[in-house]
Amino acid sequence: MSGGTRLENANPVVFQRSGERLLTASEEDEDVHDPIDDREIFDLIRSINDPEHPLSLEELNVVEQVRVKVNDAESTVEVEFTPTIPHCSMATLIGLSVKVKLLRSLPDRFKIDVHITPGTHASEEAVNKQLADKERVAAALENSSLLEVVNQCLSTRSI
Amino acid sequence: MAADGAALLSLVEEFVSGLQDSKAKDAATGVRDGQFTILQLVEALGLSLTSSQPHTRARGVQLLSEVLQDCYGNLTEREVEVLIAFYENRLKDHFVITPHVLNGLRALTKSTVLPPGSAVSMLRSLFQDIPVQSLKMEERSYVYNMLISLMESREAELKGLGADFVFGFVQSMDGERDPRNLLLAFQIANNIIRRSYDLGTFTEELFEVTSCYFPIDFTPPPNDPHGITKEELIQALRAVLTGTPKFAEFLLPLIIEKLDSDVQSAKLDSLQTLTACVSQYEHKDLAEFLEGLWASLRREVFQTSSEKIESAGLTALTALTSCLSRSVLNSDSEDSLRTFLDLVLNDCKHHLCEPDLKLVWPSAKLLQAACSASTRASHIVTAAVMPSLIEQYSSRTQCSHRRTLLEVVQRFVQSVKISQSLENEESVFLAFSQPLCNMVFSALTESNSSLQITATSVLTSLAQQTGLLLDSDIELAVDHLTRLLLTEEDDRVSLAVVECAGALAQLYPAAFITKLIPRLKKEMFSEPMEQDNRREPSELHSHNAVRQRCLSALAAVSKQPSVVLESTPVLLEVLSSAHTGSASFSVEEVVLACRSLQRIAEQVQDTEKTGRCFHDIIIPRLLSLALQAALQGEGSSGCRSPLVEEVVLSAMVPVISTSCSRLQPTLAGQTASRAVSLFLDGDVSFLPDNSFPSHIQLLKQGDSWSQSQMVCLLMGCMCSLPCSVEVPQVDQLLSQLEEMSCTCSHPLSYTAAAKCFAGLVNKRPLGDSLDSLIQRTMKRVCSELDCTTSAVRTQAFTLLIWVAKALLLRYHPLSTALTDKLFSLLDDAELGATAANGFSLLMSDSVDVLNRSYHADVRIMYRQRFFSENSAKLVQGFNAAPQEKKPNYLKALSNIVNKLPKQVQVTELPALLSLLLEALSCPDQGVQLSTLSCLEPVLIDPPLALIQQLEALVSRLIALICSPAMNVRIASLRCIHALSRFPVHEILPFRARVLQALAPPLDDRKRLVRSEAVQARGEWFLVGSPGGR
């Protein structure tokens, strides 16, 4: 982050992180099948880094567990995310990061739908349309500077 | 002489005209050996030195200079004077001669008989005649080396040159580019500053000529031929720039400017330089830059992107504040510390009022950094901040806000602790002690668990401030802690409460003795729901949980001897009423009571009083209770005493061994002789509640396991004694233990007997009696093992492995015979797998015997030694073994390698790699798992041999992803994850294959496997991708 640039939202509200998922006895049992559930999907995306702040999407409340819906049997995932301010210029990039993370982390049987929480962004429709368009997502990932930013959001934070 | 003269002439001739460089060495040797003098050499050179051809003159001077390099020590003062005059004159000569002239002068400056004044004249002509930066790199280094030697030997003369010297140096180094020379130049500049040479009007010039390299940006060439690191250059330059307050007016603006940079390393270097320089400065040096510095520091911490820069920024702020705190106030000057802190407070304080926004933490950190700088600073900051924090806390209602505020308060209390550690004055927080206590106590009564946890740690920090808490506050605190212990269900809260109670009891034992311990005792011994005989299971459960918390709290508070004397009787009472059945304690509670006793024995101060408490009261009581329980008999598990249970006995052992190992050796000796007379002679006179029969023979109990297993208590006592304590009747003891371990059929009994035997053998002095003892035992063990029909083969094996371990640890020469026997058992049909697992026991630290804290004779690096002596045998055995026995060898190998220190693993890996890869494809899951777990740590910093075998490794790991065992799948995914950290160019060819192989486990039926797969796949996607690695 350069010293001179101003952030759009320099002092955002910070939310508490949820703890690690508690390990249950059935998860350690070889014979039990663990279905993919909302919390598991949320755990995939909550640690994605914000493009601007050294904070995770969970800490900025951009993603919440209640806005994640998964149906393991029908192989569908639906994620809603909430930009911190209605004019956030990073909304598309955040949506793209979430989508890419899910594409890399879920079996390919899943249909993945990522969109903005209704009524929380000025150009909601345009962003949703971009994120839903497979070809545009693929094209965006061909762009190496865009891929670089997405990868930075997805890399585990180094200290 | 004439012959020498001719030889010299021919040498000169061959060097000058024949261009044979080696002749310089011969000439130097000649001069050193006294064959000819320097004067003769100069005479012989006469013609070449006066030749009209510059190149001939150059050769001549070169010869002279190279000879001088070797012989400058032999010169007389007169010779030096003449030579210097000659060389000074040659400086004006043709440019091809200059390098050799400088080389000669460099040699002469090292001479110890340099005539007075010559240094000055030499430098004057040098600075006047030579444009240093137009020379080659090596020749420039001659100049710097000359300056360095002269500064060492002729400091006074150089200082006589005044500012001219500095000016000359500035001119010579201006534009230097080579890192090797820069290191020399920085050293000279540093000398100039530290040895207070007169900078005159050239302060700014000297600063400019060095500061233009700041911040250092240097990457050594790939093969790093000169071994110069960036860090070396940074440190050398930093020493120059921060060396004198005279640079302040130039350096501080530079730092402010460089902090604006986008380059992380430049920011870091600037912050560290700032921290270093202010330690030399006074407040007047800083005054005009404070605003600018503060603005930059604030920006770095508010908008930081890396923790390194943030912490460097905070350190710089602390250094800056403590510099200002050192300033002596004049009546007319303003208080610069207050002015600066006003700036800080002005920008940060209001953020503390927004506990849910991001900037609350950076602001708090900045204020704390300033606060920790000095007592004065902490007074100013806390006076400004604490009232508003306290007010905020009472006006906010949301728990998360309150928690943040409380955490901020805690960090303040802690930051002040750092600054006050040396002074013994009253706490900065004295003025706020009541509101702070009220705040903590109100948080402790909240229902939010994280608020309670934070409150306990604030309480701990407050208690550590001297004289802050009043006795009434402590009593109130103890009441709150007791209430939480008895009522709070959340594990994290009770853990925090127990920890806080422990810290407070260390400082204020009295309140805990009078209030907490009696209350806990009452609570533990009260039966739940006495009015109703049918207890609800959930209530019973909560009563158990209360008891468990009470037991661990009793252990935590027992650090001071006075508390121990009160708390241990309560724990003993738990054990005795569990035995008599007067209060219903479950087996787990009894075990916990033993653990608490053990913890107390570990943490209590070793005094006469506590020693007597353990050796005269607790240990006899434990032995007596265990013996009573054992004599009552085994019965069915419902009606027998909980004290005959294996878990309870095993928990009692460490109580005895910890107290014997660390409390009062003379008393431990007394305990030892009592224990021996109890076990050998049935002497029960020292036990309390003495109503035992007179003929007890605890070591000769073939059939009563409840009595024979008591040998583990004997083990706890005997195997933990300090070496100074003599073991009584040791030979008889050893023979009875051997007999028991080879004949008894109860696993706990024969294992404990074998361990006790091994523990004693480990400490026996070297000599014939020990050797014959070992040989006798060995013979007996081997005869049992060799007889395949013997009923006690397992017993014999157990004794073998423990004795082998005891001897291996102390490097006893006979240990090889025993370990060889172990290796041969790998082929055994019945004991092969057990033997393979036995190697894990051999290589790991055991908790109850044979470890250093129990004074066992453990030599350093015994594992490496064992490995290097035996790895070849293993490989050989593996190759010779029949197919169905091979897994045993692989398992033994991975058990051994697993326990080796990482450095050894890395060096030994190349030799074993093929075997380990074989082990990965071995169908036995145990072998797979243990091999994977020994590979994983090695993969973090992979040796070259591993990288060469990458193909084999990757394909075997990928095959294991589909293993039916979940643990194997997880371990192999972790290894694949670790592979992603290998050098990118090595693993890039495998990227597509690995990503494809990692797709199926994303849909694994087990969540744990999926999450490992997700992590590994995420990292592999980043390999070779922009923004990744």
Side-chain angles (χ1 to χ4, degrees), chain A residues 12 14 29 35 40 109 151, chain B residues 356 358 1003 1006-1007 1010 1025:
Chain A
V14 178
D29 185 347
E40 188 172 341
R109 63 186 165 93
N151 277 338
Chain B
D356 53 347
K358 177 195 164 193
D1003 212 2
K1006 299 308 298 174
R1007 185 169 296 130
R1010 292 199 295 264
S1025 178

Side-chain angles (χ1 to χ4, degrees), chain B residues 529-811:
Chain B
M529 305 289 291
E530 279 177 48
Q531 66 275 37
D532 186 357
N533 275 341
R534 287 230 299 266
R535 297 169 188 163
E536 296 285 329
S538 68
E539 296 213 22
L540 193 63
H541 174 74
S542 82
H543 188 67
N544 288 347
V546 170
R547 278 182 171 172
Q548 293 184 358
R549 291 198 294 269
C550 291
L551 289 169
S552 61
L554 277 179
V557 299
S558 305
K559 285 176 188 156
Q560 297 273 16
S562 59
V563 186
V564 171
L565 292 182
E566 299 296 323
S567 62
T568 48
V570 180
L571 292 167
L572 284 177
E573 203 175 326
V574 170
L575 295 179
S576 64
S577 46
H579 169 62
T580 57
S582 60
S584 60
F585 284 98
S586 68
V587 171
E588 294 89 75
E589 286 159 2
V590 179
V591 170
L592 262 183
C594 292
R595 293 254 166 80
S596 297
L597 280 174
Q598 178 198 351
R599 208 176 133 195
I600 297 173
E602 278 163 4
Q603 73 194 10
V604 75
Q605 293 164 9
D606 179 17
T607 62
E608 170 87 24
K609 223 175 175 183
T610 50
R612 289 223 170 273
C613 175
F614 272 89
H615 287 293
D616 287 349
I617 300 171
I618 297 175
I619 294 177
R621 187 102 178 116
L622 287 178
L623 286 171
S624 156
L625 286 170
L627 187 56
Q628 284 174 19
L631 291 174
Q632 265 178 23
E634 16 227 85
S636 65
S637 68
C639 63
R640 67 191 186 209
S641 162
L643 268 63
V644 298
E645 298 295 337
E646 183 176 334
V647 274
V648 177
L649 273 180
S650 312
M652 272 186 195
V653 174
V655 182
I656 297 178
S657 38
T658 311
S659 18
C660 283
S661 67
R662 71 172 286 262
L663 299 176
Q664 304 289 311
T666 42
L667 294 175
Q670 190 189 326
T671 300
S673 58
R674 284 169 175 175
V676 170
S677 63
L678 169 66
F679 277 82
L680 284 183
D681 315 327
D683 175 9
V684 292
S685 58
F686 74 100
L687 299 178
D689 313 333
N690 196 341
S691 55
F692 300 107
S694 55
H695 296 292
I696 305 173
Q697 288 198 307
L698 291 169
L699 291 181
K700 292 185 178 160
Q701 290 291 334
D703 34 285
S704 163
W705 60 263
S706 67
Q707 289 179 44
S708 67
Q709 68 179 358
M710 277 194 61
V711 71
C712 70
L713 299 180
L714 178 69
M715 170 195 86
C717 179
M718 291 296 145
C719 298
S720 58
L721 294 171
C723 304
S724 57
V725 175
E726 183 86 20
V727 180
Q729 305 184 54
V730 67
D731 293 318
Q732 204 189 341
L733 194 62
L734 282 169
S735 74
Q736 292 208 15
L737 284 169
E738 183 193 317
E739 182 62 30
M740 183 173 187
S741 69
C742 286
T743 53
C744 186
S745 58
H746 182 241
L748 176 61
S749 308
Y750 69 71
T751 312
K755 283 181 181 178
C756 188
F757 184 83
L760 288 171
V761 164
N762 177 265
K763 288 186 199 171
R764 298 288 295 152
L766 276 176
D768 290 339
S769 75
L770 178 64
D771 290 351
S772 63
L773 172 75
I774 296 167
Q775 268 147 3
R776 207 178 59 227
T777 314
M778 174 85 185
K779 204 170 146 196
R780 176 161 186 186
V781 166
C782 289
S783 72
E784 296 289 356
L785 286 172
D786 292 340
C787 164
T788 45
T789 55
S790 167
V792 290
R793 288 190 85 205
T794 321
Q795 280 86 330
F797 174 77
T798 312
L799 184 59
L800 169 70
I801 194 145
W802 280 104
V803 176
K805 184 171 168 94
L807 297 178
L808 178 66
L809 290 180
R810 63 184 283 184
Y811 287 2

Side-chain angles (χ1 to χ4, degrees), chain B residues 857-875:
Chain B
D857 185 359
V858 181
R859 302 296 177 84
I860 51 166
M861 303 201 290
Y862 75 90
R863 295 185 181 87
Q864 287 91 311
R865 193 177 138 127
F866 177 70
F867 175 79
S868 55
E869 281 173 5
N870 292 294
S871 62
K873 283 183 209 159
L874 255 182
V875 177

Side-chain angles (χ1 to χ4, degrees), chain B residues 492-537:
Chain B
R492 291 177 308 137
V493 179
S494 31
L495 204 65
V497 169
V498 168
E499 202 175 309
C500 173
L504 259 63
Q506 173 88 327
L507 300 161
Y508 307 96
F512 285 83
I513 294 174
T514 54
K515 303 197 80 148
L516 181 90
I517 294 179
R519 186 70 212 282
L520 294 187
K521 181 177 175 187
K522 180 163 161 263
E523 207 56 44
M524 275 195 294
F525 285 94
S526 76
E527 292 294 321
M529 305 289 291
E530 279 177 48
Q531 66 275 37
D532 186 357
N533 275 341
R534 287 230 299 266
R535 297 169 188 163
E536 296 285 329

Side-chain angles (χ1 to χ4, degrees), chain B residues 961 968-978 998 1001 1009 1012-1013 1016:
Chain B
I961 295 180
V968 175
R969 296 204 295 274
I970 291 178
S972 59
L973 285 168
R974 284 203 181 131
C975 286
I976 291 177
H977 186 171
L998 286 175
V1009 179
E1012 292 296 339

Side-chain angles (χ1 to χ4, degrees), chain B residues 84-93 98 101-102 105 117-132 143 146 161 168 171-172:
Chain B
I84 286 181
F86 165 73
Y87 274 115
E88 270 176 30
N89 192 264
R90 285 303 96 196
L91 279 172
K92 297 185 174 61
D93 202 342
T98 313
V101 174
L102 290 173
L105 280 173
S118 58
V120 171
S121 74
M122 202 185 324
L123 288 181
R124 274 196 201 285
S125 13
L126 177 76
F127 290 147
Q128 195 181 339
D129 298 325
I130 302 294
V132 176
V143 176
M146 268 171 70
L161 266 173
Q171 274 197 320
S172 328

